[in-house]
């Protein structure tokens, strides 16, 4: 088992970011809720206590027995984690006079301590807290301060236990990564040998052991996660893996053929299924977005079930599930709200009764991309923007017809190709075009036209939970708008969506 850092989550929005930063240091880590601590095995080299939206002063706020680790393993408390330690051992935590949020500078910084080694005097850090540590317990020593926060960092004397009031995991803490490196490498003594190649070798060995000579079926979407998962399984068991790639008629222009070709180049054993008509028939006349999603989900299950029946003796279902989907997020309302239940419902399609294998369920998206690159999966798949499962169906507002799909595919193609050709594609997290259910007046030559309106959307995001619209250059937008109106029959107006999420969402429906 690889060395690891255990991150105990008190519900902060930044907990996953801490984990990603630790992994960027080539150190494996896992997030567990503060109230479901796993067994402390020898491979755990240190513990990070996360922040929280709660206050340690609130009754019933998240708590844990720190004595079980103190002095035995290095501990780093971040924000709430540090306040919890201070309060538990006799210090005083009070509401800040002003809510401290945003940039601050460590004007006092004692770099003799391992945690702060090689950090610069005055370095910028990111604060986000409503409470402040007014008094430290005995034996706790202040090792960094800002002009307004005296206890910005502390150490418990004689132990590798530290607390910091700021967030080293966000990029606004300019030397935050340095601090985390000091903690995991200097203090926890991790050897930084957790790389994509190590992951790949371990994962292939584990898959071989688990699956043996059994057969696996897996649905591919053209996206990064399912493609990387399938490639790993294929490396482990070869053609005992059968992949199914369904053309639901809602993919981007030429996407079905291009992705199928890439899969074949990767040596995957893929069955391509043209099910366009089944999807269009099921969607006919449906305008409600949730009803569209349900219809698409149902037909996909039918098609996939048909295909999996053609594989005699198949026992496993491969899935591209990634770590954020499996981390149990801590509910700030208390542990009971987070309990999940699994029911084995009768009447499921046969493929859903298969055992599930999910080789990427410990990786974040950036880790999946790195593994994909190490597996030499083409950049056109690894660097691809996310694309929703229901595809263009939720970007055509109103009912779906093959003609509308065709129009939107042409518009989307011009936009996406334009982003690629101008070098903007990789600066955007997700982009696409939306076909609006209205027409607008225009003139073409001497004629008055009454045609469709399309919206373009390009957002920056980390995980899709929040997103900002991207300030694409006016020249680029002007050029793309011209191309769309000149080349796509039936469209005479282009608008650009300048809404952020929240309060808007990325998709329009
Ligand atoms: P929203 O619109 O909720 O989208 O801001 C966040 C992310 O989720 C994707 N999305 C979906 N993905 N099935 C999917 O597989 C869906 O029904 C669906 N709806 C939204 C969206 O493209 C964005 O990446």
């Amino acid at each position: 088992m690889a060395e690891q850092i255990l991150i105990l989550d008190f519900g902060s929005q930044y907990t996953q970011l801490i984990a990603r930063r630790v992994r960027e240091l080539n150190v494996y880590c896992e997030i567990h809720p503060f109230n479901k601590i796993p067994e402390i095995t020898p491979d755990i080299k240190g513990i990070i206590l996360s922040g929280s939206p709660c206050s340690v002063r609130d009754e019933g706020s998240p708590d844990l027995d720190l004595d079980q680790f103190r002095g035995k393993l290095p501990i780093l408390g971040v924000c709430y984690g540090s306040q919890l330690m201070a309060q538990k051992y006799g210090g005083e935590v009070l509401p800040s006079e002003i809510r401290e949020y945003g940039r601050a500078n460590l004007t006092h910084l004692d770099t003799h301590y391992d945690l702060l080694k090689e950090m610069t005097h005055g370095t910028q850090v990111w604060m986000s807290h409503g409470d402040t540590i007014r008094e430290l317990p005995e034996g706790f020593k202040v090792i960094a301060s800002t002009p307004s926060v005296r206890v910005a960092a502390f150490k418990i004397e004689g132990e590798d236990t530290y607390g910091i009031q700021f967030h080293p995991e966000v990029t606004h803490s300019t030397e935050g990564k340095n601090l985390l490196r000091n903690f995991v490498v200097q203090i926890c003594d991790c050897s930084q040998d957790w790389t994509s190649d190590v992951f790949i070798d371990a994962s292939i060995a584990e898959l071989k052991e688990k699956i043996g000579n059994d057969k696996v079926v897996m649905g591919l979407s053209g996206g990064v996660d399912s493609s990387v998962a399938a490639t790993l399984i294929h490396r482990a068991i070869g053609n005992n893996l059968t992949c199914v790639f369904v053309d639901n008629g809602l993919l981007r222009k030429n996407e079905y053929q291009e992705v199928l070709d890439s899969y074949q180049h990767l040596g995957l054993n893929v069955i391509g299924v043209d099910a366009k008509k089944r999807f269009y028939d099921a969607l006919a006349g449906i305008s409600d977005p949730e009803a569209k999603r349900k219809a698409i989900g149902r037909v996909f299950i039918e098609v996939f079930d048909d295909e999996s029946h053609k594989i005699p003796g198949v026992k496993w279902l491969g899935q591209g599930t990634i770590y954020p989907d499996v981390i149990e997020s801590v509910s700030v309302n208390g542990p009971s709200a987070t309990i999940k239940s699994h029911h084995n419902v009768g009447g499921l399609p046969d493929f859903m009764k298969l055992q599930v294998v999910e080789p990427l369920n410990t990786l974040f998206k950036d880790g999946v991309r790195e593994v994909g690159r190490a597996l030499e999966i083409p950049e056109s798949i690894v660097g691809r923007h996310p694309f929703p499962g229901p595809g263009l169906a939720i970007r055509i507002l109103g009912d779906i017809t093959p003609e509308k799909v065709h129009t939107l595919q042409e518009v989307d193609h011009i936009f996406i190709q334009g982003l690629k050709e101008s070098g903007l594609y990789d600066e955007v997290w997700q982009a696409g075009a939306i076909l609006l259910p209205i027409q607008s007046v225009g003139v073409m030559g001497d004629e008055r036209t009454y045609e469709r309106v399309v919206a373009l959307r390009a957002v920056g995001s980390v995980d899709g939970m929040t997103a900002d619209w991207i300030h694409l250059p006016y020249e680029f937008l002007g050029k793309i708008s011209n191309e769309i109106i000149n080349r796509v029959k039936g469209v005479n107006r282009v608008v650009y969506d300048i809404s952020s999420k929240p309060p808007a969402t990325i998709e329009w429906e």
Side-chain angles (χ1 to χ4, degrees):
M1 184 66 199
E3 297 171 338
Q4 63 165 297
I5 297 290
L6 171 62
I7 300 172
L8 295 179
D9 181 25
F10 293 112
S12 161
Q13 56 170 332
Y14 296 131
T15 307
Q16 291 195 21
L17 210 48
I18 300 179
R20 285 175 47 205
R21 294 285 170 267
V22 171
R23 289 182 181 207
E24 281 165 16
L25 295 164
N26 295 334
V27 173
Y28 182 68
C29 61
E30 284 185 7
I31 299 175
H32 290 268
F34 70 94
N35 53 356
K36 285 196 191 159
I37 301 174
E39 189 195 341
I40 304 296
T41 46
D43 48 282
I44 296 179
K45 309 280 280 182
I47 296 178
I48 299 180
L49 308 175
S50 85
S52 173
C54 303
S55 162
V56 289
R57 294 172 302 102
D58 293 343
E59 210 175 307
S61 57
D63 192 10
L64 76 102
D65 167 22
L66 283 165
D67 287 335
Q68 57 184 318
F69 320 117
R70 245 191 84 180
K72 299 177 191 124
L73 280 173
I75 302 175
L76 175 65
V78 175
C79 198
Y80 183 91
S82 69
Q83 293 164 358
L84 185 69
M85 287 195 268
Q87 200 204 37
K88 261 185 129 44
Y89 296 107
E92 192 177 20
V93 176
L94 292 175
S96 314
E97 272 143 30
I98 37 164
R99 191 179 155 79
E100 275 141 354
Y101 187 84
R103 294 174 176 82
N105 297 88
L106 297 181
T107 42
H108 160 73
L109 179 74
D110 195 338
T111 53
H112 292 104
Y113 291 97
D114 284 345
L115 188 70
L116 305 177
K117 271 211 169 114
E118 288 176 25
M119 288 180 66
T120 331
H121 186 81
T123 186
Q124 177 183 296
V125 293
W126 183 257
M127 294 282 182
S128 167
H129 58 112
D131 286 345
T132 199
I133 301 173
R134 193 52 58 84
E135 284 302 327
L136 279 176
E138 229 184 281
F140 285 46
K141 190 174 173 4
V142 177
I143 59 170
S145 313
T146 73
S148 55
V149 180
R150 190 175 68 88
V151 188
F154 66 76
K155 176 182 187 323
I156 304 185
E157 286 173 291
E159 290 176 23
D160 281 328
T161 306
Y162 297 84
I164 49 176
Q165 185 56 79
F166 50 90
H167 288 272
E169 65 277 16
V170 304
T171 48
H172 306 296
S173 291
T174 42
E175 294 179 324
K177 199 156 173 188
N178 201 333
L179 184 146
L180 288 172
R181 182 185 300 111
N182 286 340
F183 181 69
V184 302
V185 181
Q186 305 283 336
I187 299 170
C188 300
D189 202 23
C190 290
S191 37
Q192 295 187 283
D193 54 6
W194 191 71
T195 59
S196 293
D197 288 334
V198 168
F199 172 86
I200 291 168
D201 289 347
S203 169
I204 290 175
E206 199 181 308
L207 288 165
K208 277 187 173 152
E209 164 86 26
K210 188 176 204 171
I211 302 170
N213 284 324
D214 292 347
K215 287 187 180 161
V216 180
V217 63
M218 174 155 186
L220 297 181
S221 68
V224 190
D225 304 342
S226 64
S227 306
V228 174
T231 308
L232 268 179
I233 301 175
H234 182 256
R235 293 272 172 101
I237 63 163
N239 281 350
N240 271 348
L241 168 69
T242 306
C243 300
V244 178
F245 181 40
V246 178
D247 186 357
N248 58 11
L250 304 162
L251 302 173
R252 297 191 135 119
K253 182 178 177 179
N254 302 333
E255 189 173 22
Y256 178 67
Q257 201 50 52
E258 283 170 13
V259 171
L260 202 54
D261 291 348
S262 309
Y263 285 151
Q264 275 154 358
H265 272 117
L266 284 168
L268 296 178
N269 172 21
V270 199
I271 302 172
V273 187
D274 178 355
K276 290 198 284 288
K277 190 169 177 323
R278 277 173 85 167
F279 282 89
Y280 290 153
D281 286 350
L283 283 167
I286 301 181
S287 296
D288 175 70
E290 289 316 302
K292 286 182 196 172
R293 284 184 167 86
K294 283 204 181 100
I296 293 165
R298 189 191 65 225
V299 177
F300 180 82
I301 285 175
E302 286 167 14
V303 172
F304 195 80
D305 204 36
D306 289 353
E307 293 307 316
S308 49
H309 274 106
K310 295 180 193 159
I311 309 166
V314 62
K315 290 221 175 94
W316 296 84
L317 174 69
Q319 287 194 329
T321 317
I322 66 171
Y323 195 42
D325 305 328
V326 297
I327 303 173
E328 261 185 83
S329 53
V330 179
S331 161
V332 287
N333 301 321
S336 61
T338 67
I339 294 170
K340 281 184 191 164
S341 53
H342 293 278
H343 298 288
N344 258 335
V345 191
L348 288 175
D350 279 358
F351 81 87
M352 289 187 126
K353 294 176 189 153
L354 301 172
Q355 295 181 76
V356 173
V357 56
E358 300 169 318
L360 307 179
N361 64 6
T362 57
L363 294 188
F364 288 104
K365 193 92 174 182
D366 30 11
V368 174
R369 291 208 161 99
E370 269 177 43
V371 167
R373 291 189 179 110
L375 289 167
E376 293 178 3
I377 297 176
E379 197 55 34
S380 60
I381 292 184
V382 174
R384 178 172 289 236
H385 288 171
F387 187 65
L392 299 181
I394 56 168
R395 294 187 181 164
I396 294 171
L397 274 52
D399 68 328
I400 315 290
T401 63
E403 174 261 332
K404 287 185 193 171
V405 172
H406 176 74
T407 303
L408 185 58
Q409 280 177 333
E410 295 299 321
V411 172
D412 176 85
H413 185 69
I414 292 172
F415 183 35
I416 299 296
Q417 282 306 110
L419 286 170
K420 287 184 176 162
E421 284 159 17
S422 342
L424 292 163
Y425 185 83
D426 291 333
E427 285 174 32
V428 171
W429 189 78
Q430 186 171 19
I434 301 102
L435 188 68
L436 304 187
I438 51 167
Q439 284 166 292
S440 83
V441 174
V443 279
M444 233 172 236
D446 294 333
E447 304 248 328
R448 199 179 109 105
T449 61
Y450 191 58
E451 291 179 337
R452 291 189 199 287
V453 184
V454 292
L456 305 182
R457 181 111 169 103
V459 296
S461 179
V462 176
D463 51 12
M465 303 297 284
T466 59
D468 285 325
W469 62 278
I470 298 265
H471 295 222
L472 291 177
Y474 282 173
E475 298 68 35
F476 172 79
L477 286 170
K479 180 173 148 287
I480 295 298
S481 165
N482 263 342
E483 261 181 63
I484 292 171
I485 294 171
N486 288 339
R487 286 178 27 202
V488 185
K489 214 168 140 261
V491 174
N492 69 355
R493 195 173 295 264
V494 175
V495 296
Y496 187 55
D497 183 347
I498 55 167
S499 336
S500 288
K501 172 182 180 175
T505 49
I506 296 175
E507 304 295 345
W508 279 42
E509 57 172 40

